[in-house]
Amino acid sequence: MLNIVISGAPGSGKGTQSAIIVENYGLTHISTGDMLREEIKNGTENGKKAEVLINDGKLVPDEMIIAMLHDQVQKHINAGDTKGFIFDGFPRTAAQAVALDNMLHELETEVSCMLHMQVDHELLIERLLNRGKTSGRADDNLETIQKRLDVYNSQTLPVIEHYKNSGRYKAACNNSSVEACFAQVKEIIDSL
Ligand code: B4P
């Protein structure tokens, strides 16, 4: 099984590159951001809790996100309809990284690599503000973007160390075009 974690700051292009990876490698896309937006749209209990936190630029609780992710992974494994996953926006904390390793170990598989999307700070803000013009996302405004970047630096950057320490870390620069970034991503995946 090929299992890829795609990580990076808010607006670094995780969702954009995940879609192209899915198209080219046929992996199952699991986006925790999309899952949460779906819960919010459906007005579930989890959705109500998540909405307040997301709109304030915070992360949702680990227990909630780990349980949701576990259900999704199990569903695809039971159906036998996947040759691997792309985890988009997960793990975002050290606890989530450990939970993912344990979950995949139980399923007799593992994370093949973590792809770290690298984008300059000013460009991240520019792209998110730009996305905000059409996304309708309440978290794509300057104040919340700045909070999200702070949360990323304090809570998600340590996750990168988790993968560096286990030799599974790969970086791709996304300062230029979507295509130029995918060329690097492709080279990394093809070398696994
Ligand atoms: P996410 O939905 O994961 O998304 P994101 O970080 O905002 O953006 P992404 O990196 O996917 O950027 P995109 O491709 O759209 O998270 C939303 C929120 O959900 C979080 O803040 C958090 O509160 C919560 N959450 C999610 N997962 C969680 C977890 N595991 N634990 C706790 N809480 C969690 O790219 C951005 C823009 O740039 C787009 O408009 C795109 O078109 C553009 N772009 C991309 N690449 C480009 C390029 N090369 N050139 C020009 N534009 C480019």
Side-chain angles (χ1 to χ4, degrees):
M1 244 187 183
L2 179 64
N3 297 307
I4 296 172
V5 163
I6 189 159
S7 190
S12 59
K14 301 181 289 289
T16 305
Q17 290 297 319
S18 294
I20 310 175
I21 294 171
V22 167
E23 217 175 276
N24 282 268
Y25 294 93
L27 298 182
T28 303
H29 184 198
I30 298 200
S31 159
T32 44
D34 287 350
M35 272 164 47
L36 291 168
R37 284 185 284 277
E38 191 63 22
E39 296 280 330
I40 293 171
K41 201 175 89 190
N42 295 335
T44 64
E45 278 311 306
N46 278 345
K48 284 178 197 155
K49 282 186 209 152
E51 186 168 23
V52 180
L53 294 163
I54 291 176
N55 292 353
D56 195 27
K58 294 182 180 142
L59 297 181
V60 307
D62 284 338
E63 314 78 68
M64 182 200 291
I65 205 89
I66 291 167
M68 284 168 59
L69 187 104
H70 188 272
D71 287 353
Q72 282 292 316
V73 169
Q74 196 70 57
K75 192 180 85 186
H76 288 287
I77 298 274
N78 290 347
D81 65 358
T82 185
K83 51 183 185 177
F85 296 95
I86 175 134
F87 297 102
D88 167 6
F90 182 96
R92 258 181 162 92
T93 63
Q96 292 181 15
V98 172
L100 182 61
D101 279 349
N102 292 341
M103 197 184 302
L104 294 181
H105 183 74
E106 272 173 31
L107 298 166
E108 295 177 4
T109 183
E110 62 183 0
V111 170
S112 316
C113 87
M114 181 229 233
L115 268 176
H116 180 203
M117 310 296 296
Q118 296 184 318
V119 176
D120 290 346
H121 185 82
E122 301 71 32
L123 212 46
L124 289 172
I125 296 178
E126 187 186 312
R127 286 180 186 170
L128 286 173
L129 286 175
N130 217 15
R131 184 175 73 182
K133 288 179 195 157
T134 53
S135 68
R137 279 177 53 166
D139 57 347
D140 282 344
N141 61 77
L142 192 56
E143 194 191 340
T144 313
I145 290 167
Q146 253 139 8
K147 282 192 199 162
R148 289 161 67 197
L149 288 169
D150 289 345
V151 167
Y152 173 76
N153 288 330
S154 60
Q155 298 191 53
T156 307
L157 271 185
V159 172
I160 285 166
E161 291 307 310
H162 176 86
Y163 291 99
K164 272 190 180 159
N165 292 339
S166 51
R168 293 174 290 174
Y169 172 87
K170 306 276 180 194
C173 170
N174 191 21
N175 277 337
S176 149
S177 67
V178 171
E179 295 74 23
C181 182
F182 182 66
Q184 299 164 62
V185 168
K186 185 173 186 313
E187 201 174 318
I188 292 168
I189 298 179
D190 290 346
S191 73
L192 292 174

